[in-house]
Amino acid sequence: MKIAVYGASGYQGGLVLAELARRGVEPVAAGRDAARLEKAGAPWRVAAAGDHEGLVSAFAGCDAVVNCAGPFTVTGAAVVRAAIAAGCHYVDTSGEQLHVKQVFDTFATQAREAGVSVLPAATDGCVPVDLLARLLADRLGPLAGIVTVHAVTGGGMSRGSLRSVAETIDAIRAGGLIYSGGDWRPGGAARGEVRLPGRAETTAVAAFPVPEVVTIPRHVPVRYVAGMTEAALGGAAEQPAHPRDDRQSAGRARRGDPPRPALHLCAGRHGCGRAAGPRRRAGGATPTARRR
């Protein structure tokens, strides 16, 4: 098996290359900067995100593409399109809600016709809660609502993550999309308080454009889905990052202290409430699940 890693010279790309090597999978390091790719320790191919033919050529002969190059809302669609054209399966490390929705809306039919799988947001911030939602629905039946809350402790954001935040800051300020009544729409900047597992006091939370709001309704019978994060985390995302802070955050992550997501999921046949989310429970039919 041969797997192309686009954005291989970045922090996430380096982690993926190391894991492929550990598993004995043949990698191809792909990206736009030849000088940095030369240091990746794997065969490399250069292609800019705006060069469709160059991307297709870079992915030729590979079984799959792992896209680690954000901001995905800006460049992700071009990489998906090229992967499909090259006959490759596709996954990415995006957490950008609008990119994830665009991938499903734009490429589902193309991927099906090409016989490949396309999976955005294959991260520990989306996949666990998405699967938990499905397990709860399998046990409880169709759900009235799901509200997820993200809390992150330790580590810091890499430069790529900071660029993604900067590119999607308008969506972050607006609170992102919710799923309601069979479709997605802007949810507004909802705020509230929840009692998270392991914390004695309630935590202030705010609406946030998390990717599972897009993925869950595609395979889980549910009428309402919303995502929130700690209000302090959302506020920090709006602060402009000083280059020195950027280097320090990326350095902490490279030293093995990555952010640790804690996910709190409320799901119920009678709903979980809206602004306050998981704090409002109905008739005891709102089990919670947590992952660290």
Side-chain angles (χ1 to χ4, degrees), residues 121-137 143 146-151 210-217 219-220 222 225-228 261-267 278 287-292:
T123 70
D124 62 353
C126 180
V127 173
V129 70
D130 183 276
L131 296 178
L132 285 169
R134 180 56 184 262
L135 290 172
L136 286 169
L143 302 172
I146 294 175
V147 178
T148 69
V149 176
H150 289 248
V210 293
E212 65 266 19
V213 170
V214 176
T215 64
I216 287 174
H219 66 106
V220 174
V222 61
V225 184
M228 310 189 87
L263 306 178
H264 179 93
L265 183 147
C266 166
T288 61
R290 177 191 179 205
R291 176 184 175 92
R292 285 195 182 275

Side-chain angles (χ1 to χ4, degrees), residues 138-245:
D138 287 347
R139 179 171 293 237
L140 297 175
L143 302 172
I146 294 175
V147 178
T148 69
V149 176
H150 289 248
V152 179
T153 59
M157 288 188 287
S158 67
R159 294 182 182 183
S161 295
L162 287 169
R163 285 194 293 268
S164 291
V165 167
E167 192 62 43
T168 59
I169 194 63
D170 289 341
I172 292 173
R173 288 171 175 161
L177 302 174
I178 63 170
Y179 179 81
S180 180
D183 203 359
W184 290 268
R185 61 176 175 81
R191 304 182 75 88
E193 292 185 347
V194 299
R195 191 177 298 280
L196 294 174
R199 297 187 182 184
E201 303 296 328
T202 58
T203 299
V205 295
F208 200 83
V210 293
E212 65 266 19
V213 170
V214 176
T215 64
I216 287 174
R218 296 182 180 275
H219 66 106
V220 174
V222 61
R223 294 202 300 270
Y224 177 86
V225 184
M228 310 189 87
T229 189
E230 285 187 273
L233 179 62
E238 294 197 33
Q239 300 301 317
H242 188 282
R244 182 178 178 182
D245 298 332

Side-chain angles (χ1 to χ4, degrees), residues 72-73 76-77 97-107 214:
F72 295 87
T73 303
Q97 189 184 74
L98 295 180
H99 162 73
V100 175
K101 188 172 188 301
Q102 181 188 32
V103 169
F104 284 114
D105 291 348
T106 305
F107 297 108
V214 176

Side-chain angles (χ1 to χ4, degrees), residues 240-274:
H242 188 282
R244 182 178 178 182
D245 298 332
D246 184 358
R247 290 193 299 270
Q248 291 173 345
S249 296
R252 284 195 298 269
R254 289 189 180 93
R255 288 194 299 270
D257 186 24
R260 297 185 298 277
L263 306 178
H264 179 93
L265 183 147
C266 166
R269 288 171 291 188
H270 308 295
C272 302
R274 296 299 186 256

